[in-house]
Amino acid sequence: MSDSQTVSAAVAKLYNTYPFPPDPLLDEPPPGYNWRWNWLAAHSFCTGQKPQKQDIRILDAGCGTGVGTEYLVHLNPQATVVGIDLSAGALAVAKERCQRSGADRVEFHHLSLFDVEQLPGEFDLINCVGVLHHTPDPVRGIQALAKKLAPGGLMHIFVYGELGRWEIQLMQKAIALLQGDKKGDYRDGVQVGRQIFASLPENNRIVKYEKQRWSLENQRDECFADMYVHPQEIDYNVETLFELIDASGLEFIGFSNPGFWDLERLLSKAPELVERAQNLSDRQRYRLIELLDPEVTHYEFFLGRPPLLQTDWSADQVLLMAIPELNPCMDGWPSQCIFNHDYQIVKLSPEEFEFLQTCNGKLTVAEILADVQLGLNEVRSLCKQQLLMLTPA
């Protein structure tokens, strides 16, 4: 076998041994939501407006045991979903998961990212979370996926960051050294890793990091193995990340956790430094942020294939003619205290609450404001908080 095939076989063996993610199977739809998997919410975030169609095709690329796939089906009731993975064991769990919860608009294929061209047609939304960094050639992987993205389509990607995973990398190397010729025996690797953690002093940096960040989920061997004995992992920094993005040939739309990439979060006490940073390019500013906050363990972001129209609501008359609807990813509505798309608490003023109550997808902003005492800046604030989706008149 080629080096690439050898790596892919080793990754498949890991996930056949420890199917991942190990979330429990339910006989009902999964609880809550991830807005990045909701076409309406994701499209609105990326373009500023509600998508024109909902009967779309979605690809879950590297679906594992189908945790994300299940959400993609239930959160997008008019979509058809395809899941692919190179682990037959994980796919068996994914099929059972979706069957049990009634996620019946999905088909699965035992397929590598590199062979995704075997699937017919294009996809409007591609989800690839926690996968590319485990392939032997992430550039080849992202390019293969990019070819399957339809014009105007979105791709959401999640890859590891090197700065926040430094201690993990050290532990991976330590386990591999102690395994010796048993490397590739993943059950032995988990046993060795757990023995190391049990033996190291409590004030050891690797132990402290594990306890602070990962110990709860790593009680499960599947999670421990995925983190510490994986046969293939490539971690990124902002500079190498954008090399990967540029290789895709797609448009970088933005990080899907934009709050982390706000420099004022770190330097609000030094506005003169924030002003200096305005002279930097976006990528330089992202690099500055991760250097100042090296806890970043991953990057999550959207790419798009043009034409992808970004709607500008800065003109008052354009906003007044827009038709607003509630973002589908909110919890606790109707109430003045709700959870937003990111499960952060939002407290609405009486006027904001009244405005949102009137957003029925039929009235324009102007028509609603004729009866609700709210200003356009407040409407823009609701949009910025992803509480509203807008459709141009």
Side-chain angles (χ1 to χ4, degrees):
M1 290 192 295
S2 66
D3 290 344
S4 177
Q5 289 173 321
T6 300
V7 170
S8 294
V11 173
K13 179 184 175 184
L14 170 71
Y15 290 128
N16 287 334
T17 305
Y18 291 113
F20 186 87
D23 296 40
L25 305 181
L26 303 174
D27 293 320
E28 59 187 359
Y33 52 80
N34 181 329
W35 69 267
R36 298 161 185 83
W37 296 336
N38 183 298
W39 171 245
L40 294 176
H43 192 278
S44 179
F45 174 86
C46 291
T47 70
Q49 72 172 60
K50 179 183 175 181
Q52 295 180 358
K53 64 175 184 176
Q54 299 182 44
D55 54 337
I56 61 168
R57 297 186 75 219
I58 300 175
L59 172 64
D60 196 10
C63 64
T65 60
V67 173
T69 322
E70 183 181 38
Y71 275 99
L72 288 165
V73 176
H74 286 292
L75 293 176
N76 301 284
Q78 295 184 39
T80 56
V81 181
V82 176
I84 64 171
D85 203 273
L86 51 68
S87 166
L91 280 175
V93 178
K95 292 175 183 178
E96 182 182 358
R97 180 187 306 281
C98 289
Q99 182 180 29
R100 286 179 56 171
S101 75
D104 54 3
R105 286 169 288 104
V106 60
E107 61 182 55
F108 291 100
H109 297 271
H110 187 201
L111 204 63
S112 161
L113 294 189
F114 302 137
D115 299 319
V116 69
E117 75 278 359
Q118 295 180 21
L119 297 176
E122 296 177 319
F123 296 89
D124 303 285
L125 176 63
I126 296 179
N127 180 63
C128 188
V129 172
V131 180
L132 284 171
H133 50 240
H134 288 319
T135 68
D137 190 344
V139 167
R140 182 181 161 209
I142 200 171
Q143 289 174 341
L145 292 176
K147 291 177 182 177
K148 300 301 290 184
L149 187 64
L154 302 174
M155 185 186 303
H156 187 253
I157 294 177
F158 173 115
V159 293
Y160 288 152
E162 65 180 13
L163 296 181
R165 291 179 63 86
W166 187 72
E167 290 86 351
I168 294 172
Q169 295 170 20
L170 297 181
M171 187 62 166
Q172 290 170 343
K173 294 173 182 177
I175 292 173
L177 280 173
L178 285 172
Q179 275 200 279
D181 59 8
K182 278 198 165 187
K183 186 178 178 182
D185 180 340
Y186 302 117
R187 296 192 186 281
D188 177 74
V190 168
Q191 182 180 5
V192 168
R194 293 206 183 281
Q195 285 181 305
I196 293 174
F197 275 123
S199 302
L200 286 172
E202 287 189 11
N203 63 350
N204 177 273
R205 177 171 173 169
I206 298 175
V207 172
K208 289 193 293 185
Y209 190 76
E210 165 71 9
K211 287 182 177 179
Q212 291 169 2
R213 299 295 298 273
W214 314 111
S215 59
L216 186 61
E217 64 183 90
N218 281 343
Q219 290 179 19
R220 292 190 158 203
D221 286 350
E222 294 91 342
C223 295
F224 191 98
D226 182 69
M227 181 169 290
Y228 290 117
V229 300
H230 205 290
Q232 173 69 14
E233 179 175 316
I234 296 175
D235 298 338
Y236 292 88
N237 57 50
V238 160
E239 294 169 348
T240 57
L241 176 72
F242 277 96
E243 291 174 4
L244 176 70
I245 290 170
D246 291 342
S248 74
L250 300 175
E251 175 186 343
F252 176 72
I253 296 173
F255 291 107
S256 61
N257 56 339
F260 181 88
W261 301 101
D262 181 0
L263 185 59
E264 291 197 21
R265 175 180 67 86
L266 301 170
L267 296 179
S268 60
K269 295 180 180 178
E272 66 279 7
L273 295 182
V274 175
E275 186 175 350
R276 279 195 186 195
Q278 298 308 309
N279 296 320
L280 301 175
S281 68
D282 288 345
R283 297 184 184 189
Q284 287 174 322
R285 199 154 45 248
Y286 296 145
R287 178 60 172 163
L288 175 62
I289 290 168
E290 77 170 356
L291 291 172
L292 296 177
D293 189 358
E295 291 297 308
V296 56
T297 59
H298 65 274
Y299 307 93
E300 48 189 285
F301 54 94
F302 281 103
L303 304 180
R305 177 174 295 286
L308 196 68
L309 299 179
Q310 303 281 339
T311 308
D312 184 359
W313 301 106
S314 57
D316 288 355
Q317 194 57 38
V318 175
L319 179 58
L320 284 168
M321 294 303 295
I323 299 173
E325 297 177 59
L326 297 183
N327 189 307
C329 294
M330 299 192 315
D331 201 7
W333 179 263
S335 169
Q336 284 185 239
C337 186
I338 60 175
F339 290 101
N340 69 3
H341 65 305
D342 273 331
Y343 281 103
Q344 299 168 328
I345 295 176
V346 175
K347 295 182 179 180
L348 301 168
S349 69
E351 294 78 15
E352 290 172 328
F353 180 63
E354 185 180 1
F355 180 90
L356 291 177
Q357 280 187 307
T358 317
C359 294
N360 58 8
K362 298 178 181 178
L363 301 175
T364 65
V365 170
E367 289 171 327
I368 296 174
L369 292 184
D371 296 320
V372 177
Q373 298 302 308
L374 197 69
L376 281 179
N377 285 338
E378 286 76 22
V379 175
R380 290 191 175 95
S381 175
L382 292 174
C383 293
K384 186 177 181 181
Q385 296 177 77
Q386 303 297 316
L387 299 177
L388 283 178
M389 299 186 302
L390 300 177
T391 301

